Amino acid sequence: MTKNYKFLVLTTALLAVLVVGLGAYTRLSDAGLGCPDWPGCYGFLTVPDKAHEIAAVEENFPGMEVDQGKALKEMVHRYFAGTLGLLILAIALYAWRYGKQVRMPVRLPTVLVLLVIFQAMLGMWTVTMNLQPLVVMGHLLGGFSIASLLWLLYLRNHSRPVPGGDPGAKSLQGWSMAALSMVIVQIALGGWLAANYAAAHCVGFPLCEGSEAFSLAEVFHLPMEHANYEYGVLSYESRMSIHLLHRFGALMTLLIVGAAMWRVYKAAYSRTIKNAALAVGAALAAQLTLGVALIYLQIPLLMALAHNLMALLLLLTLVRLCYLQKRKC
């Protein structure tokens, strides 16, 4: 029974990564409003394509035309997200029923159930509030949080402590947590950039053309007064400032995470922890490479998707390292 539970948790964690990827693909291909209602699509459980369904759309959604491609992307994301929610509920039900008997985490599955409910609400508000940037960013962070907590749940049911512990790694837990915090902040900045369609609003490297107009106040301006936020509503200068801050964040991430991983690798004697630190460094290098390539290649869709997924991978590798440092010491 425990092996089946571990397999369920791992499968659900992998599905969470897929759902994050599908959500990023939906957002990057401008399909976030492919279906203007929730949870269905123009009042249907599937994308309307038959004559009578199109007629119903014209009657119930006057002035709107079904974009089959965008609607399909949105609904596929919802189908997979719904399946993820059901699997998380199954994990929680199993933990509530057998957790105390086999000494498995109970509170973490409970948190995941609450989080996935809130994530579903954010998904609904993303559509009903017409891609309000704060909601879109929250939805992105919610997806990353669910994937990270599922990965942590798997680690808690799978990893074993190193005999004797690792004092060198234990002494640097603070460094690893600082690196994890910096990556979370950088992911949030990336989410804010994406939610405001600011990816293309920075010409040049490493600074933007016109970077002297950078304004920190404009970065955190919340546009609340618009009826529709698709394609962004902020000024060019505001979006340039958002993009430039994300680049500054990338530099800080390189310095903080790089220094932390170097110290952890040198101090740890456990090969498991050394390899975990190397995995973080590799994910960081790949993410920075993708970020620079995105600028020079003018943001191709698949590369932007890879940038999103690599951010998640970097986060997951740091979650594992922090857990191993605590668990194996």
Side-chain angles (χ1 to χ4, degrees), residues 184-205:
I184 291 172
V185 169
Q186 180 64 358
I187 288 172
L189 290 174
W192 188 239
L193 180 150
N196 284 284
Y197 297 85
H201 288 69
C202 187
V203 179
F205 183 83

Side-chain angles (χ1 to χ4, degrees), residues 283-328:
L284 175 64
Q287 179 68 340
L288 291 173
T289 301
L290 284 170
V292 174
L294 275 171
I295 297 168
Y296 282 109
L297 298 178
Q298 300 183 342
I299 319 175
L301 175 60
L302 292 181
M303 187 172 289
L305 176 59
H307 191 58
N308 276 257
L309 289 174
M310 188 55 67
L312 177 57
L313 180 60
L314 176 58
L315 179 63
L316 295 181
T317 56
L318 269 167
V319 167
R320 178 172 180 264
L321 175 63
C322 291
Y323 175 76
L324 289 175
Q325 284 181 270
K326 181 179 179 180
R327 174 68 172 151
K328 293 179 176 288

